[in-house]
Amino acid sequence: MKLAVLGSPISHSKSPALHKHWLVENNISGTYEAIEIKPENLKHDFGKLLEAGYVGFNVTVPLKEKIGVFCDFFDGGAQATGAVNTILLKDHKLYAYNTDIYGFKRNIETNAPTFSWNDGPAVILGAGGAARAAAYVLQQNNAPEIRIVNRTALKGVNLAEDFDGHFVEWGNRENALKGANILINATSLGMQGGKGLDINLGNLPKRALVTDIVYTPLMTPLLTQALDRGNTVVTGADMFFYQAQKSFEIWTGLSPHVDDSSKEAIV
Ligand code: ATR
């Protein structure tokens, strides 16, 4: 079974180490490579990989919104978000999935088991691919209100329209926290070495859950602030493992274990 993750840049990807570990653990003979593909070469390079016998792919930045045009069938999440992160070639057809959605949901449900999605308004900071995955999960799980806060208004308005949400101007982000049940940072702010997320959580109810898509560092300044004032927090770390688990299951039919040995495989 020939598998690969496609993207650019791709050398930093931790997916090969994790999936190779799972192939061995499950006695499946196969390979999993990281293959650099630039968007302008996607059609040509992807075509060559299909000819070369690859049957499963992960897809990452900047190809998630671009690879769908070559696919035949889409799962509900890939269709709703317009983003594909997993592909299976079966009977000469390409099946497209978005397992980031599963990863996001499972991360919260595993690490905050008492949390209810429908227990009040949700606030999403950001309007990129990660924000779309979060909005889809919230909509599917009957969040009563979805507030989309984004620096670029047009992107935020579009996302809000697609998921029956309300757009909030970036400058009003602290007002958007009032009465919220969950706060999700789906911007890149807070990443190691980058700009921080400037937000005071004073308006956020203490019972709200706070989660961050950023997982380097594990405890972002946002999560530290939230924890200090008594909110429950969930880091972004396990989202990676759960999206990978679902992808592996799509290719092989086996659901691999997310455990200490899988965590050790990527360090
Ligand atoms: P991903 O697919 O991982 O979500 P993305 O599409 O690049 O990545 O989205 C990054 C998000 O972080 C966007 O919502 C972006 O806001 P814009 O739509 O205005 O670009 C947000 N973001 C990045 N840098 C930001 C900054 N300095 N201030 C506010 N938002 C920022």
Side-chain angles (χ1 to χ4, degrees):
M1 166 170 284
K2 285 172 79 167
L3 306 169
V5 56
L6 316 179
S8 178
I10 200 63
S11 59
H12 67 285
S13 173
K14 292 181 187 295
S15 293
L18 180 58
H19 286 287
K20 281 185 205 170
H21 164 76
W22 281 338
L23 286 168
V24 172
E25 191 177 68
N26 289 282
N27 287 315
I28 297 171
S29 98
T31 55
Y32 188 111
E33 297 158 71
I35 299 178
E36 168 101 17
I37 296 188
K38 299 235 187 306
E40 59 271 27
N41 301 329
L42 179 58
K43 185 172 186 199
H44 172 266
D45 292 1
F46 187 48
K48 288 274 174 214
L49 294 176
L50 294 172
E51 282 170 19
Y54 288 82
V55 295
F57 302 93
N58 276 138
V59 183
T60 188
V61 179
L63 308 175
K64 284 185 190 185
E65 279 104 31
K66 301 197 162 64
I67 206 156
V69 295
F70 307 109
C71 298
D72 301 295
F73 300 105
F74 299 82
D75 77 344
Q79 186 114 44
T81 57
V84 171
N85 83 320
T86 302
I87 296 176
L88 169 69
L89 176 68
K90 200 175 138 196
D91 301 331
H92 308 287
K93 297 285 183 204
L94 290 170
Y95 292 79
Y97 303 84
N98 184 322
T99 74
D100 289 331
I101 291 167
Y102 174 82
F104 176 79
K105 180 167 186 272
R106 180 84 194 266
N107 182 29
I108 305 274
E109 291 180 352
T110 303
N111 292 303
T114 59
F115 174 74
S116 297
W117 297 100
N118 60 5
D119 217 5
V123 180
I124 302 177
L125 305 175
R132 286 194 159 259
Y136 180 76
V137 170
L138 289 159
Q139 190 187 47
Q140 289 287 301
N141 290 279
N142 307 313
E145 188 189 337
I146 303 175
R147 301 172 185 162
I148 307 289
V149 188
N150 198 50
R151 177 182 59 177
T152 305
L154 185 61
K155 273 171 72 182
V157 167
N158 284 341
L159 197 163
E161 271 177 11
D162 288 351
F163 294 93
D164 292 329
H166 303 285
F167 172 67
V168 179
E169 298 278 352
W170 186 247
N172 280 334
R173 60 194 177 280
E174 288 172 1
N175 276 332
L177 304 177
K178 288 179 187 159
N181 177 43
I182 181 170
L183 169 64
I184 299 154
N185 176 38
T187 73
S188 45
L189 296 170
M191 217 177 262
Q192 211 129 43
K195 249 178 91 175
L197 170 58
D198 178 17
I199 193 165
N200 182 323
L201 298 181
N203 285 335
L204 187 71
K206 293 271 166 67
R207 57 180 279 278
L209 178 77
V210 181
T211 188
D212 208 319
I213 300 290
V214 171
Y215 61 93
T216 49
L218 217 50
M219 283 303 289
T220 59
L222 171 71
L223 295 183
T224 304
Q225 186 189 160
L227 196 63
D228 283 351
R229 64 193 292 282
N231 292 96
T232 300
V233 305
V234 174
T235 75
D238 286 349
M239 184 174 163
F240 169 73
F241 288 97
Y242 290 122
Q243 64 75 29
Q245 181 187 49
K246 184 56 91 184
S247 298
F248 191 91
E249 187 182 336
I250 287 166
W251 303 320
T252 67
L254 295 172
S255 182
H257 297 298
V258 172
D259 56 15
D260 288 348
S261 76
S262 33
K263 296 191 177 181
E264 279 158 21
I266 66 157
V267 288

